[in-house]
Amino acid sequence: MEKVNNRVHIGDILVQNGVISEEQLQKTRMIQNGNSDYSTHKFIQILYQDLDMDYDELMKAVSDIYVLREFQLSEEELTDEYIGNIKRLLDTFSDSDINEFLSLDALPVEHQHKTLIIATADPTDARLVELLTRLSINHFELVYCRRNTLRELVEKVLYTKNDILQELEDVQITESEIEEAATEEINEEEIDREINQSMLNKLVEGMFIQAVREGASDIHVVPVNSFTTDIRFRTDGKLNLWHQQKKVRPEALVAVVKDKARNVDRFERDRSQDGFIQRKVDNVNIRYRVSIMPIVGTEFGKKFESVVIRVLDDRKVITDLNKLGLQDHALKLFTKAINKPSGMVIMTGPTGSGKSTSLVAALHHVMDPSKNVLTVEDPTEYIIAGARQLKISSKMTFDQSMRGILRHDPDIVLVGEIRDLNTAEIAIKLANTGHLTFSTLHTNDAPSAISRLYKMGVEPFLIANAVNLIMAQRLVRKLCDHCKIEMTNKHPEVARSLGFTDAEIEESVFHRANELGCKHCTHGYKGRLAIIEALYFTPEIRSLILDAGSNIDEEEIRSWAIEHGMMTLRASGRERIKEGTTSFDEVLSMTVED
């Protein structure tokens, strides 16, 4: 009962202080009553997760209510000595204790007069006090710290990349050794000696951790020559050099990754291999999907391998359609298509264009305990609570799973990719027999997916009757809200080439990236946005496909759809430019002329 009164008290004070409205208070109480958790922590969580309130604004208001001082640190104060003091303080805790602090968005920062100062981004979480009690810390003070400030501090204090890299830089390699390594056969004993150096293992583990903390989607490990390897992170769709490792054999660095990956043979260097790694980073389980392929090197006879590691962080899974960031018209058609009891929704676009993200959000929108939801993906990317995700292996291949799924009483099915006629026919059959079916296809735009299905061997009448929507998607980088620059010269010739009219050029405010960037972004961009081409199957579209028979004309379908309101990828990009959320360069690089 005490918790209920505390929760009401906090809510009433937030209303009195003008932080939330009475309507927001009532909505939050209603949601909270539905899950029977009456804690202040849950109350605040509902406000920022369900009602989209600003996290830092809420936590600052709560901190003021609790009379907590704010922990602030300027760049001038963040000295090596200060960081060293925090490191020495953390040395008094075990790794598991530090991980618990991090999982609660907290970090011990100093001792003052026998009192431990804890910086926390969430002062409402009672588990933090429970942890301190369990550690027998009786004298402590909680200070509020903005979440981004805390994360930057954690990165500087706990991530020891520079120390590791300095150790590796100190390794001495002679010119004769480099020349010898360029021509010699692989010496497994020499590689063993190198990989047994703890600093090389630390580098690889640090690489895994930093990729997660920097929000990278992929890690690329690429040999340059006999003693040089590039490590690149793909962030916001672009590959950037994270570190160039010299004085270590590429084979040794790749061998470390192989040793950490399951289903990978370290001594196999002549064929492609796929494996996976799992790690707990900041107390969160992260999966890494590993792809290894032999490549041609500059040195004759060397067996170089390229490694690409996909970072799978379930925290990035979007379960709310409204948080996908789709433009209004596309969101309306997408929602309409997935709310049908049966039929097929197809996402098209290149690898990394966000197709799976959109489909997983769609699944969460339509699934409930009364429906049997099955997924067939090779490989499975994200864990979807409430779905039965079939496990692909040598004993149950993708094709076998597709055939078996028909006998497994599905209501909703997600097929990772339509890769051939067999997959297409089963997916179409599911859609035409009362099942809601989601899948992806690699085509440039929405209308060309119809031709692709037909060229696979799917009959036009089956396509026309089965499909609800084909949605082509691309991701463009989002301009940084803090440093984007308004264009004084609108470059009308570039704007016209993108399809802007003279009236639009005159009326619109265009922005470009600040190439120098700021502390919030990378070269003027932070995050990505979807641009969408949504082809909804109206009766008229179905008739065009049926009437065409074996002469499907995707240009005719495209023209009719545009005439009746379909927004092309480039038109969608123009809207993003007018919003001030992306640049000319991004839309030009991701789209073709209408």
Side-chain angles (χ1 to χ4, degrees), residues 45 48-49 99 101-105 147 151 154 208-217 279-288 311-320 323-324 357 360 364 381-385:
Q45 191 178 58
Y48 69 78
Q49 286 187 348
N99 279 334
F101 278 117
L102 295 178
S103 71
L104 299 173
D105 269 342
R147 189 153 57 174
R151 287 176 178 173
V154 167
F208 292 149
I209 292 168
Q210 193 65 3
V212 173
R213 290 179 177 168
E214 291 190 13
S217 61
R279 286 289 181 275
K280 185 166 279 191
V281 178
D282 298 337
N283 219 33
V284 175
N285 286 322
I286 304 294
R287 300 185 309 284
Y288 301 87
V311 182
L312 300 172
D313 184 345
D314 288 332
R315 291 173 299 180
K316 293 182 178 180
V317 174
I318 297 173
T319 59
D320 184 346
K323 293 181 180 178
L324 275 178
T357 299
V360 169
H364 278 93
E381 291 205 358
Y382 295 107
I383 305 301
I384 304 169

Side-chain angles (χ1 to χ4, degrees), residues 344 406 422-435 437 458 462 466:
M344 195 168 189
L406 293 164
N422 179 54
T423 311
E425 285 180 334
I426 295 173
I428 292 283
K429 184 175 180 180
L430 282 164
N432 275 330
T433 53
H435 305 87
T437 308
V458 182
L462 291 174

